[in-house]
Coordinates of all heavy atoms in Angstrom, one line a residue:
A185 N -57.2 3.4 158.6 CA -56.4 2.3 158.2 C -54.9 2.5 158.6 O -54.5 3.6 158.8 CB -56.4 2.1 156.7
I186 N -54.2 1.4 158.7 CA -52.7 1.5 159.0 C -52.0 2.3 157.9 O -52.3 2.2 156.7 CB -52.1 0.1 159.2 CG1 -50.7 0.2 159.7 CG2 -52.2 -0.7 157.9 CD1 -50.0 -1.1 160.1
D187 N -51.1 3.2 158.4 CA -50.3 3.9 157.4 C -49.2 3.0 156.8 O -48.3 2.5 157.5 CB -49.6 5.1 158.2 CG -48.6 5.9 157.4 OD1 -48.5 5.6 156.1 OD2 -47.9 6.7 157.9
P188 N -49.3 2.8 155.5 CA -48.4 1.9 154.8 C -46.9 2.4 154.8 O -46.0 1.7 154.6 CB -48.9 1.8 153.4 CG -49.7 2.9 153.2 CD -50.3 3.3 154.5
S189 N -46.8 3.7 155.1 CA -45.4 4.3 155.2 C -45.0 4.5 156.7 O -44.2 5.4 157.0 CB -45.4 5.7 154.5 OG -45.7 5.5 153.1
F190 N -45.6 3.7 157.6 CA -45.3 3.8 159.0 C -43.8 3.8 159.3 O -43.3 4.4 160.2 CB -46.0 2.8 159.8 CG -45.5 1.4 159.6 CD1 -44.5 0.9 160.5 CD2 -46.0 0.5 158.7 CE1 -43.9 -0.4 160.3 CE2 -45.4 -0.8 158.5 CZ -44.4 -1.2 159.3
D191 N -43.1 3.0 158.5 CA -41.6 2.9 158.8 C -40.9 4.2 158.4 O -39.7 4.3 158.9 CB -41.0 1.7 158.0 CG -41.3 1.7 156.5 OD1 -42.3 2.3 156.1 OD2 -40.6 1.0 155.8
E192 N -41.5 5.1 157.7 CA -40.9 6.4 157.4 C -41.4 7.4 158.4 O -40.8 8.4 158.7 CB -41.1 6.8 156.0 CG -40.4 5.9 155.0 CD -41.0 6.2 153.5 OE1 -41.7 7.1 153.3 OE2 -40.7 5.3 152.7
N193 N -42.7 7.2 158.8 CA -43.4 8.3 159.6 C -43.3 8.0 161.1 O -43.7 8.9 161.8 CB -44.8 8.4 159.1 CG -45.0 8.8 157.7 OD1 -44.1 9.5 157.2 ND2 -46.0 8.3 157.0
R194 N -42.9 6.9 161.5 CA -42.8 6.6 162.9 C -41.4 6.1 163.3 O -40.6 5.8 162.4 CB -43.8 5.5 163.3 CG -45.3 5.9 163.1 CD -46.2 4.7 163.5 NE -47.6 5.0 163.3 CZ -48.5 4.8 164.3 NH1 -48.1 4.2 165.4 NH2 -49.8 5.0 164.1
E195 N -41.1 6.0 164.6 CA -39.9 5.5 165.0 C -40.1 4.3 165.9 O -41.1 4.2 166.6 CB -39.1 6.6 165.8 CG -38.6 7.7 164.9 CD -37.8 8.8 165.7 OE1 -37.6 8.6 166.9 OE2 -37.5 9.8 165.0
V196 N -39.1 3.4 165.9 CA -39.1 2.2 166.8 C -38.9 2.7 168.2 O -37.9 3.4 168.5 CB -38.1 1.2 166.4 CG1 -38.0 0.1 167.4 CG2 -38.4 0.6 165.0
V197 N -39.8 2.4 169.1 CA -39.7 2.8 170.5 C -39.5 1.6 171.4 O -39.3 1.8 172.6 CB -40.9 3.6 170.9 CG1 -41.0 4.9 170.1 CG2 -42.2 2.8 170.8
G198 N -39.5 0.4 170.9 CA -39.3 -0.7 171.8 C -39.4 -2.0 171.0 O -39.5 -2.1 169.8
D199 N -39.3 -3.1 171.8 CA -39.3 -4.5 171.3 C -40.3 -5.2 172.1 O -40.4 -5.1 173.3 CB -37.9 -5.1 171.5 CG -37.9 -6.6 171.1 OD1 -38.2 -7.4 172.0 OD2 -37.5 -6.9 170.0
H200 N -41.1 -6.1 171.4 CA -42.1 -6.9 172.0 C -41.9 -8.3 171.5 O -42.1 -8.6 170.4 CB -43.5 -6.4 171.8 CG -44.5 -7.3 172.4 ND1 -45.6 -7.9 171.7 CD2 -44.7 -7.7 173.7 CE1 -46.3 -8.6 172.6 NE2 -45.8 -8.5 173.8
E201 N -41.4 -9.2 172.4 CA -41.3 -10.6 172.0 C -40.5 -10.8 170.7 O -40.8 -11.7 169.9 CB -42.6 -11.3 171.9 CG -43.5 -11.1 173.1 CD -43.2 -12.1 174.3 OE1 -42.4 -13.1 174.0 OE2 -43.6 -11.8 175.4
G202 N -39.5 -9.9 170.5 CA -38.6 -10.1 169.3 C -39.0 -9.3 168.1 O -38.3 -9.4 167.1
H203 N -40.1 -8.6 168.1 CA -40.4 -7.7 167.0 C -40.5 -6.3 167.5 O -40.7 -6.0 168.6 CB -41.7 -8.2 166.3 CG -42.9 -8.3 167.2 ND1 -43.4 -9.5 167.7 CD2 -43.8 -7.3 167.7 CE1 -44.4 -9.3 168.5 NE2 -44.7 -8.0 168.5
D204 N -40.4 -5.4 166.5 CA -40.3 -3.9 166.7 C -41.7 -3.4 167.2 O -42.8 -3.9 166.7 CB -39.9 -3.2 165.5 CG -38.4 -3.4 165.2 OD1 -37.6 -3.7 166.1 OD2 -38.1 -3.2 164.0
V205 N -41.7 -2.4 168.0 CA -42.9 -1.6 168.3 C -42.6 -0.1 167.8 O -41.6 0.5 168.2 CB -43.2 -1.6 169.8 CG1 -44.4 -0.7 170.1 CG2 -43.4 -3.0 170.3
W206 N -43.5 0.3 167.0 CA -43.4 1.7 166.4 C -44.3 2.6 167.1 O -45.5 2.4 167.2 CB -43.7 1.6 164.9 CG -42.9 0.7 164.1 CD1 -43.0 -0.7 164.0 CD2 -41.8 1.1 163.2 NE1 -42.0 -1.2 163.1 CE2 -41.3 -0.1 162.7 CE3 -41.2 2.3 162.9 CZ2 -40.2 -0.1 161.8 CZ3 -40.1 2.3 162.0 CH2 -39.6 1.1 161.5
G207 N -43.7 3.7 167.6 CA -44.5 4.7 168.4 C -45.4 5.6 167.6 O -45.4 5.5 166.4
P208 N -46.1 6.5 168.3 CA -46.0 6.7 169.7 C -46.8 5.7 170.5 O -47.7 5.1 170.1 CB -46.7 8.1 169.9 CG -47.6 8.2 168.7 CD -47.0 7.5 167.6
V209 N -46.3 5.4 171.7 CA -46.9 4.5 172.7 C -47.1 5.3 174.0 O -46.2 5.9 174.5 CB -46.0 3.3 172.9 CG1 -46.6 2.4 174.1 CG2 -45.9 2.4 171.7
D210 N -48.3 5.2 174.5 CA -48.7 5.8 175.8 C -49.8 4.9 176.4 O -51.0 5.1 176.2 CB -49.2 7.2 175.6 CG -49.4 7.9 176.9 OD1 -49.0 7.4 178.0 OD2 -50.1 9.0 176.9
E211 N -49.3 3.8 177.0 CA -50.2 2.8 177.5 C -51.1 3.4 178.7 O -50.7 4.2 179.4 CB -49.4 1.6 178.1 CG -48.6 0.9 177.0 CD -47.8 -0.3 177.5 OE1 -47.8 -0.5 178.7 OE2 -47.1 -0.9 176.7
P212 N -52.3 2.9 178.8 CA -52.9 1.8 177.9 C -53.7 2.3 176.7 O -54.2 1.5 175.9 CB -53.9 1.2 178.9 CG -54.4 2.3 179.8 CD -53.2 3.2 179.9
E213 N -53.8 3.6 176.5 CA -54.7 4.2 175.5 C -54.0 4.1 174.1 O -54.7 3.9 173.1 CB -55.1 5.6 175.7 CG -55.9 5.8 177.0 CD -55.0 6.1 178.2 OE1 -53.7 6.0 178.1 OE2 -55.5 6.3 179.3
T214 N -52.7 4.2 174.0 CA -52.0 4.3 172.7 C -50.9 3.3 172.7 O -50.0 3.3 173.5 CB -51.4 5.7 172.5 OG1 -52.5 6.7 172.7 CG2 -50.8 5.9 171.1
L215 N -51.1 2.3 171.7 CA -50.2 1.2 171.7 C -49.3 1.1 170.5 O -48.3 0.3 170.5 CB -51.0 -0.1 171.8 CG -51.9 -0.2 173.1 CD1 -52.8 -1.4 173.0 CD2 -51.1 -0.2 174.3
G216 N -49.5 1.9 169.5 CA -48.6 1.9 168.4 C -48.8 0.7 167.4 O -49.8 0.0 167.4
I217 N -47.7 0.5 166.6 CA -47.8 -0.6 165.6 C -46.8 -1.7 166.0 O -45.6 -1.4 166.3 CB -47.4 0.0 164.2 CG1 -48.5 0.9 163.7 CG2 -47.1 -1.2 163.2 CD1 -48.2 1.6 162.4
H218 N -47.2 -2.9 166.0 CA -46.3 -4.1 166.3 C -46.0 -4.8 165.1 O -46.8 -5.1 164.2 CB -47.0 -5.0 167.3 CG -47.1 -4.6 168.7 ND1 -46.7 -5.4 169.8 CD2 -47.4 -3.4 169.2 CE1 -46.8 -4.8 170.9 NE2 -47.3 -3.5 170.6
G219 N -44.6 -5.0 164.9 CA -44.1 -5.8 163.8 C -43.7 -4.8 162.7 O -44.0 -3.6 162.7
T220 N -42.9 -5.4 161.8 CA -42.4 -4.6 160.6 C -42.7 -5.3 159.3 O -43.4 -4.7 158.5 CB -40.8 -4.4 160.8 OG1 -40.6 -3.7 162.0 CG2 -40.3 -3.6 159.6
H221 N -42.3 -6.5 159.1 CA -42.7 -7.2 157.9 C -44.2 -7.4 157.9 O -44.9 -7.2 156.9 CB -42.0 -8.5 157.7 CG -42.4 -9.2 156.4 ND1 -42.1 -8.7 155.2 CD2 -43.2 -10.3 156.2 CE1 -42.6 -9.5 154.2 NE2 -43.3 -10.4 154.9
V222 N -44.7 -7.9 159.0 CA -46.2 -8.0 159.2 C -46.5 -7.0 160.4 O -46.1 -7.2 161.5 CB -46.6 -9.4 159.7 CG1 -48.1 -9.4 159.9 CG2 -46.2 -10.4 158.6
A223 N -47.1 -5.9 160.0 CA -47.3 -4.8 160.9 C -48.8 -4.7 161.3 O -49.7 -4.7 160.4 CB -46.9 -3.5 160.3
V224 N -49.1 -4.6 162.6 CA -50.5 -4.5 163.0 C -50.6 -3.2 163.8 O -49.9 -3.0 164.8 CB -50.9 -5.7 163.9 CG1 -52.4 -5.5 164.4 CG2 -50.8 -7.0 163.2
D225 N -51.5 -2.3 163.4 CA -51.7 -1.1 164.2 C -52.7 -1.4 165.3 O -53.9 -1.6 165.1 CB -52.3 0.0 163.3 CG -52.3 1.3 163.9 OD1 -52.6 1.4 165.2 OD2 -52.1 2.3 163.2
F226 N -52.1 -1.5 166.5 CA -52.9 -1.9 167.7 C -53.9 -0.9 168.0 O -54.9 -1.2 168.7 CB -51.9 -2.1 168.9 CG -51.3 -3.5 169.0 CD1 -51.2 -4.3 167.9 CD2 -50.9 -4.0 170.2 CE1 -50.6 -5.6 168.0 CE2 -50.4 -5.2 170.4 CZ -50.2 -6.1 169.3
D227 N -53.8 0.3 167.6 CA -54.8 1.4 167.9 C -55.9 1.3 167.0 O -57.0 1.9 167.2 CB -54.1 2.7 167.9 CG -53.1 2.8 169.0 OD1 -53.4 2.5 170.2 OD2 -51.9 3.1 168.7
I228 N -55.8 0.5 165.9 CA -56.9 0.3 164.9 C -57.6 -1.1 165.1 O -58.8 -1.2 165.0 CB -56.4 0.5 163.5 CG1 -56.0 1.9 163.3 CG2 -57.5 0.1 162.5 CD1 -55.3 2.1 161.9
C229 N -56.8 -2.1 165.4 CA -57.3 -3.5 165.6 C -58.5 -3.5 166.6 O -58.3 -2.9 167.7 CB -56.2 -4.4 166.1 SG -56.7 -6.0 166.6
D230 N -59.6 -4.0 166.2 CA -60.7 -4.1 167.1 C -61.0 -5.6 167.5 O -62.2 -5.9 167.9 CB -62.0 -3.4 166.6 CG -62.6 -4.1 165.4 OD1 -62.0 -5.1 164.9 OD2 -63.6 -3.6 164.9
A231 N -60.0 -6.4 167.4 CA -60.1 -7.8 167.8 C -61.1 -8.7 167.0 O -61.7 -9.6 167.5 CB -60.4 -7.9 169.3
D232 N -61.3 -8.3 165.7 CA -62.1 -9.1 164.9 C -61.7 -10.6 164.8 O -62.6 -11.5 164.9 CB -62.1 -8.5 163.5 CG -62.9 -9.4 162.5 OD1 -64.2 -9.2 162.5 OD2 -62.4 -10.2 161.8
G233 N -60.4 -10.9 164.7 CA -59.9 -12.2 164.8 C -59.8 -12.9 163.4 O -59.3 -14.1 163.4
A234 N -60.2 -12.3 162.3 CA -60.1 -13.0 161.0 C -58.7 -13.3 160.7 O -58.4 -14.4 160.1 CB -60.8 -12.1 160.0
C235 N -57.8 -12.5 161.0 CA -56.4 -12.7 160.7 C -55.9 -14.0 161.4 O -55.1 -14.8 160.8 CB -55.5 -11.5 161.0 SG -55.6 -11.0 162.8
I236 N -56.2 -14.1 162.7 CA -55.8 -15.3 163.4 C -56.4 -16.5 162.9 O -55.8 -17.6 162.8 CB -56.2 -15.0 164.9 CG1 -55.2 -14.0 165.5 CG2 -56.1 -16.3 165.7 CD1 -55.4 -13.7 167.0
E237 N -57.7 -16.5 162.4 CA -58.3 -17.6 161.9 C -57.8 -18.0 160.5 O -57.6 -19.2 160.2 CB -59.8 -17.4 161.7 CG -60.6 -17.4 163.0 CD -62.1 -17.0 162.8 OE1 -62.6 -17.2 161.7 OE2 -62.7 -16.5 163.7
D238 N -57.4 -17.0 159.7 CA -57.1 -17.3 158.3 C -55.6 -17.4 158.0 O -55.3 -18.0 156.9 CB -57.7 -16.2 157.4 CG -59.2 -16.3 157.4 OD1 -59.8 -17.2 158.0 OD2 -59.8 -15.4 156.7
C239 N -54.7 -16.9 158.8 CA -53.3 -17.0 158.4 C -52.9 -18.5 158.4 O -53.0 -19.2 159.3 CB -52.4 -16.3 159.4 SG -50.7 -16.4 159.1
P240 N -52.4 -18.9 157.2 CA -52.0 -20.3 157.0 C -50.8 -20.8 157.8 O -50.6 -22.0 158.0 CB -51.8 -20.4 155.5 CG -51.4 -19.1 155.1 CD -52.1 -18.1 155.9
V241 N -50.0 -19.8 158.3 CA -48.8 -20.2 159.0 C -48.8 -19.7 160.5 O -47.7 -19.7 161.1 CB -47.5 -19.8 158.3 CG1 -47.4 -20.6 157.0 CG2 -47.5 -18.3 157.9
D242 N -50.0 -19.3 160.9 CA -50.1 -18.9 162.4 C -49.1 -17.8 162.8 O -48.4 -18.0 163.8 CB -50.0 -20.1 163.3 CG -51.2 -21.1 163.0 OD1 -52.2 -20.6 162.6 OD2 -51.0 -22.3 163.3
V243 N -49.1 -16.7 162.0 CA -48.2 -15.6 162.4 C -48.7 -14.9 163.7 O -47.9 -14.4 164.5 CB -48.1 -14.6 161.2 CG1 -47.6 -13.3 161.7 CG2 -47.2 -15.2 160.1
F244 N -50.0 -14.9 163.9 CA -50.6 -14.0 164.9 C -51.0 -14.8 166.2 O -51.4 -16.0 166.1 CB -51.9 -13.4 164.4 CG -51.7 -12.6 163.1 CD1 -52.1 -13.2 161.9 CD2 -51.2 -11.3 163.1 CE1 -51.9 -12.4 160.7 CE2 -51.0 -10.6 162.0 CZ -51.4 -11.2 160.8
E245 N -50.8 -14.1 167.3 CA -51.2 -14.6 168.6 C -52.0 -13.5 169.3 O -51.6 -12.3 169.2 CB -50.0 -15.1 169.4 CG -49.3 -16.2 168.8 CD -48.1 -16.6 169.7 OE1 -47.8 -16.0 170.7 OE2 -47.4 -17.6 169.2
W246 N -53.0 -13.8 170.1 CA -53.7 -12.8 170.9 C -52.8 -12.3 172.0 O -52.0 -13.0 172.6 CB -54.9 -13.3 171.5 CG -56.1 -13.6 170.6 CD1 -56.7 -14.8 170.4 CD2 -56.8 -12.7 169.8 NE1 -57.7 -14.7 169.5 CE2 -57.8 -13.4 169.1 CE3 -56.7 -11.3 169.6 CZ2 -58.7 -12.7 168.2 CZ3 -57.6 -10.7 168.7 CH2 -58.5 -11.4 168.0
V247 N -52.8 -11.0 172.2 CA -52.2 -10.4 173.4 C -53.3 -9.6 174.1 O -54.1 -8.9 173.4 CB -51.0 -9.5 173.1 CG1 -49.8 -10.3 172.6 CG2 -51.3 -8.3 172.2
E248 N -53.3 -9.6 175.4 CA -54.3 -8.9 176.2 C -53.9 -7.4 176.3 O -52.7 -7.1 176.5 CB -54.5 -9.5 177.5 CG -54.8 -11.0 177.5 CD -56.1 -11.2 176.8 OE1 -57.1 -10.5 177.0 OE2 -56.1 -12.1 175.9
T249 N -54.9 -6.5 176.0 CA -54.6 -5.1 176.1 C -55.7 -4.4 176.9 O -56.5 -3.6 176.4 CB -54.5 -4.4 174.7 OG1 -55.7 -4.7 174.0 CG2 -53.3 -5.0 173.9
P250 N -55.7 -4.7 178.2 CA -56.8 -4.1 179.0 C -56.8 -2.6 179.0 O -55.7 -2.0 179.0 CB -56.5 -4.7 180.4 CG -55.1 -5.2 180.4 CD -54.8 -5.5 179.0
D251 N -58.0 -2.0 179.0 CA -58.2 -0.6 179.0 C -57.8 0.2 177.7 O -57.8 1.4 177.7 CB -57.4 0.1 180.2 CG -58.0 -0.5 181.5 OD1 -59.2 -0.7 181.6 OD2 -57.1 -0.7 182.4
H252 N -57.5 -0.6 176.6 CA -57.4 0.1 175.4 C -58.8 0.5 174.9 O -59.7 -0.4 175.0 CB -56.7 -0.8 174.3 CG -56.4 0.0 173.1 ND1 -57.3 0.0 172.0 CD2 -55.4 0.9 172.7 CE1 -56.8 0.9 171.1 NE2 -55.6 1.3 171.5
P253 N -59.0 1.7 174.4 CA -60.4 2.1 174.0 C -61.0 1.3 172.9 O -62.3 1.3 172.8 CB -60.2 3.6 173.7 CG -58.8 3.8 173.5 CD -58.1 2.8 174.3
T254 N -60.3 0.7 172.0 CA -60.9 0.0 170.9 C -61.2 -1.4 171.2 O -62.2 -1.9 170.7 CB -59.9 0.1 169.6 OG1 -59.7 1.5 169.4 CG2 -60.6 -0.5 168.4
S255 N -60.3 -2.1 171.8 CA -60.5 -3.5 172.2 C -59.5 -4.0 173.2 O -58.4 -3.4 173.3 CB -60.4 -4.4 170.9 OG -59.1 -4.4 170.4
E256 N -59.9 -5.0 174.0 CA -59.0 -5.4 175.1 C -58.1 -6.6 174.7 O -57.5 -7.2 175.6 CB -59.9 -5.7 176.3 CG -60.7 -4.5 176.8 CD -61.0 -4.5 178.2 OE1 -61.2 -5.6 178.8 OE2 -61.0 -3.4 178.8
R257 N -58.1 -6.9 173.4 CA -57.0 -7.8 173.0 C -56.7 -7.5 171.5 O -57.5 -6.9 170.8 CB -57.3 -9.3 173.1 CG -58.6 -9.8 172.3 CD -58.8 -11.3 172.6 NE -59.9 -11.8 171.8 CZ -60.1 -13.1 171.7 NH1 -59.4 -14.0 172.3 NH2 -61.1 -13.5 170.9
K258 N -55.5 -7.8 171.1 CA -55.0 -7.5 169.8 C -54.3 -8.7 169.1 O -53.8 -9.6 169.8 CB -53.9 -6.3 169.9 CG -54.4 -5.1 170.7 CD -55.5 -4.3 170.0 CE -56.0 -3.2 170.8 NZ -57.1 -2.4 170.2
A259 N -54.3 -8.7 167.8 CA -53.6 -9.7 167.1 C -52.1 -9.3 166.9 O -51.8 -8.4 166.2 CB -54.2 -9.9 165.7
D260 N -51.2 -10.0 167.7 CA -49.8 -9.7 167.7 C -49.1 -10.5 166.6 O -49.2 -11.7 166.6 CB -49.3 -10.0 169.1 CG -47.9 -9.4 169.3 OD1 -47.7 -8.3 168.9 OD2 -47.1 -10.1 170.1
P261 N -48.3 -9.9 165.8 CA -47.5 -10.7 164.8 C -46.3 -11.4 165.4 O -45.2 -11.1 165.0 CB -47.1 -9.6 163.7 CG -47.0 -8.3 164.6 CD -48.0 -8.4 165.6
A262 N -46.6 -12.3 166.3 CA -45.6 -12.9 167.1 C -44.6 -13.7 166.3 O -43.4 -13.8 166.6 CB -46.3 -13.8 168.1
N263 N -45.1 -14.3 165.1 CA -44.2 -15.1 164.3 C -44.1 -14.5 162.9 O -44.2 -15.2 161.9 CB -44.9 -16.5 164.2 CG -45.1 -17.1 165.6 OD1 -44.2 -17.2 166.4 ND2 -46.4 -17.5 165.8
E264 N -43.8 -13.2 162.8 CA -43.8 -12.5 161.5 C -42.7 -13.1 160.6 O -42.9 -13.0 159.4 CB -43.6 -11.0 161.7 CG -42.3 -10.5 162.2 CD -42.1 -9.0 162.1 OE1 -43.0 -8.3 161.5 OE2 -41.1 -8.5 162.6
T265 N -41.7 -13.7 161.1 CA -40.7 -14.3 160.2 C -41.2 -15.5 159.5 O -40.6 -15.9 158.5 CB -39.4 -14.7 161.0 OG1 -39.8 -15.6 162.0 CG2 -38.8 -13.5 161.7
Q266 N -42.3 -16.1 159.9 CA -42.9 -17.2 159.2 C -43.8 -16.8 158.0 O -44.2 -17.7 157.3 CB -43.8 -18.0 160.2 CG -43.0 -18.5 161.4 CD -41.8 -19.4 161.1 OE1 -42.0 -20.4 160.3 NE2 -40.7 -19.1 161.6
C267 N -44.0 -15.5 157.9 CA -45.0 -15.0 156.9 C -44.6 -15.5 155.5 O -43.4 -15.4 155.1 CB -45.1 -13.5 157.0 SG -46.1 -12.8 155.7
I268 N -45.6 -15.9 154.7 CA -45.3 -16.4 153.3 C -45.9 -15.4 152.3 O -46.1 -15.7 151.1 CB -45.9 -17.8 153.1 CG1 -47.4 -17.8 153.4 CG2 -45.1 -18.8 153.9 CD1 -48.1 -19.1 152.9
D269 N -46.3 -14.2 152.8 CA -46.8 -13.1 151.9 C -48.0 -13.4 151.1 O -48.1 -13.0 150.0 CB -45.6 -12.6 151.0 CG -44.4 -12.1 151.7 OD1 -44.5 -11.8 152.9 OD2 -43.4 -11.9 151.1
C270 N -48.9 -14.2 151.7 CA -50.1 -14.6 150.9 C -51.1 -13.4 150.9 O -52.0 -13.4 150.1 CB -50.8 -15.8 151.6 SG -51.5 -15.5 153.2
M271 N -51.0 -12.4 151.8 CA -51.8 -11.2 151.9 C -53.2 -11.5 152.4 O -54.1 -10.6 152.3 CB -51.8 -10.5 150.5 CG -50.5 -10.2 150.0 SD -49.4 -9.3 151.2 CE -49.9 -7.6 150.9
L272 N -53.5 -12.7 152.8 CA -54.9 -13.0 153.3 C -55.3 -12.1 154.4 O -56.4 -11.5 154.5 CB -55.0 -14.4 153.7 CG -55.7 -15.4 152.9 CD1 -55.6 -16.8 153.5 CD2 -57.1 -15.0 152.6
C273 N -54.4 -11.9 155.4 CA -54.7 -11.1 156.6 C -55.1 -9.7 156.2 O -56.0 -9.1 156.7 CB -53.6 -11.2 157.6 SG -52.0 -10.6 157.0
V274 N -54.3 -9.2 155.2 CA -54.6 -7.8 154.8 C -56.0 -7.7 154.2 O -56.7 -6.7 154.4 CB -53.5 -7.4 153.8 CG1 -53.8 -6.0 153.2 CG2 -52.1 -7.3 154.4
D275 N -56.3 -8.7 153.4 CA -57.6 -8.7 152.8 C -58.8 -8.9 153.7 O -59.9 -8.3 153.5 CB -57.7 -9.8 151.7 CG -56.7 -9.6 150.5 OD1 -56.4 -8.4 150.4 OD2 -56.4 -10.5 149.8
V276 N -58.6 -9.7 154.8 CA -59.8 -10.1 155.6 C -60.0 -9.1 156.8 O -61.0 -9.1 157.4 CB -59.7 -11.5 156.2 CG1 -59.7 -12.5 155.0 CG2 -58.5 -11.7 157.0
C277 N -58.9 -8.4 157.2 CA -59.1 -7.5 158.3 C -60.2 -6.4 158.0 O -60.0 -5.6 157.1 CB -57.8 -6.8 158.7 SG -58.1 -5.7 160.1
P278 N -61.3 -6.3 158.8 CA -62.3 -5.4 158.4 C -62.0 -4.0 158.7 O -62.7 -3.1 158.2 CB -63.5 -5.9 159.3 CG -62.9 -6.6 160.4 CD -61.6 -7.2 159.9
V279 N -61.0 -3.7 159.5 CA -60.6 -2.3 159.8 C -59.3 -1.9 159.2 O -58.7 -0.8 159.5 CB -60.7 -2.1 161.3 CG1 -62.1 -2.1 161.8 CG2 -59.8 -3.0 162.1
D280 N -58.7 -2.7 158.3 CA -57.4 -2.4 157.7 C -56.3 -2.1 158.7 O -55.6 -1.1 158.5 CB -57.6 -1.3 156.6 CG -58.4 -1.7 155.4 OD1 -58.4 -2.9 155.1 OD2 -59.1 -0.9 154.8
A281 N -56.2 -2.9 159.6 CA -55.2 -2.7 160.7 C -53.8 -3.3 160.3 O -52.9 -3.0 161.0 CB -55.7 -3.2 162.0
I282 N -53.8 -4.1 159.2 CA -52.5 -4.9 158.9 C -51.9 -4.4 157.7 O -52.6 -4.2 156.6 CB -52.9 -6.4 158.8 CG1 -53.6 -6.9 160.0 CG2 -51.6 -7.2 158.6 CD1 -54.1 -8.3 159.9
D283 N -50.6 -4.3 157.7 CA -49.8 -4.0 156.5 C -48.7 -5.1 156.4 O -48.0 -5.4 157.3 CB -49.1 -2.6 156.6 CG -48.3 -2.3 155.3 OD1 -48.9 -2.1 154.3 OD2 -47.1 -2.3 155.4
V284 N -48.6 -5.7 155.2 CA -47.6 -6.7 155.0 C -46.7 -6.2 153.8 O -47.2 -5.9 152.7 CB -48.2 -8.1 154.6 CG1 -47.0 -9.1 154.2 CG2 -49.0 -8.7 155.8
D285 N -45.4 -6.1 154.1 CA -44.5 -5.5 153.1 C -44.0 -6.7 152.3 O -43.0 -7.4 152.7 CB -43.4 -4.8 153.8 CG -42.4 -4.3 152.8 OD1 -42.7 -4.2 151.6 OD2 -41.3 -3.9 153.2
S286 N -44.6 -7.0 151.2 CA -44.3 -8.1 150.3 C -43.3 -7.8 149.3 O -42.9 -8.7 148.4 CB -45.5 -8.7 149.7 OG -46.1 -7.8 148.9
T287 N -42.7 -6.6 149.3 CA -41.8 -6.2 148.2 C -40.4 -6.6 148.6 O -40.1 -6.8 149.7 CB -41.8 -4.7 148.0 OG1 -41.6 -4.0 149.2 CG2 -43.1 -4.3 147.4
Ligands
SF4_447 FE1 -50.2 -14.8 157.5 FE2 -50.4 -14.5 154.8 FE3 -50.8 -12.4 156.6 FE4 -48.3 -13.4 156.1 S1 -49.6 -12.4 154.6 S2 -49.2 -12.9 158.1 S3 -48.8 -15.6 155.8 S4 -52.1 -14.3 156.4
F3S448 FE1 -57.4 -7.1 164.6 FE2 -58.0 -7.0 162.0 FE3 -56.9 -9.2 163.0 S1 -59.2 -6.2 163.6 S2 -57.7 -9.3 165.1 S3 -56.0 -7.2 162.9 S4 -58.5 -9.1 161.5
ZN449 ZN1 -46.2 -7.4 169.7

């Protein structure tokens, strides 16, 4: 599961489409965590897609991640600023790849 204390245990190593990327990153095998308020551990996400289907405000968009060992696409929190903290995505992700900081 995603580390809920990732913001203490990792460092921002880059920006992707306006949101933070938390390392380590070593493409294509290691992709890190995308987003901060809505954080998706790309190394855990296996492209189930429930978050994309269920988010009421369409926070997530697919990004292609060819040659990643777990899956070749990931749910990117492209619109994390739109999040309404409903926690649905956290509940439905079968591999616990998502953390939403609702505090
Ligand atoms: Fe979307 Fe709700 Fe998840 Fe926020 S907590 S990203 S609104 S499903
Ligand atoms: Fe990935 Fe979980 Fe969404 S596996 S696509 S973050 S439901
Ligand atoms: Zn991203």
Side-chain angles (χ1 to χ4, degrees):
I186 186 170
D187 175 6
S189 300
F190 71 88
D191 53 339
E192 294 165 15
N193 297 331
R194 295 178 179 230
E195 291 182 2
V196 174
V197 296
D199 174 276
H200 179 236
E201 306 282 343
H203 54 260
D204 289 334
V205 178
W206 300 80
V209 171
D210 184 14
E211 295 179 359
E213 297 91 356
T214 306
L215 299 175
I217 290 175
H218 281 229
T220 300
H221 179 71
V222 180
V224 180
D225 192 322
F226 273 24
D227 296 307
I228 295 174
C229 173
D230 69 358
D232 177 83
C235 60
I236 288 186
E237 286 177 25
D238 289 357
C239 176
V241 292
D242 295 333
V243 162
F244 304 99
E245 295 178 2
W246 289 120
V247 295
E248 303 303 311
T249 57
D251 298 323
H252 188 268
T254 305
S255 60
E256 298 209 327
R257 62 180 184 169
K258 308 292 178 182
D260 194 35
N263 306 307
E264 70 171 351
T265 59
Q266 303 299 310
C267 177
I268 58 171
D269 297 349
C270 71
M271 307 307 275
L272 255 178
C273 58
V274 173
D275 291 341
V276 297
C277 177
V279 291
D280 291 332
I282 307 174
D283 180 72
V284 174
D285 180 14
S286 60
T287 55

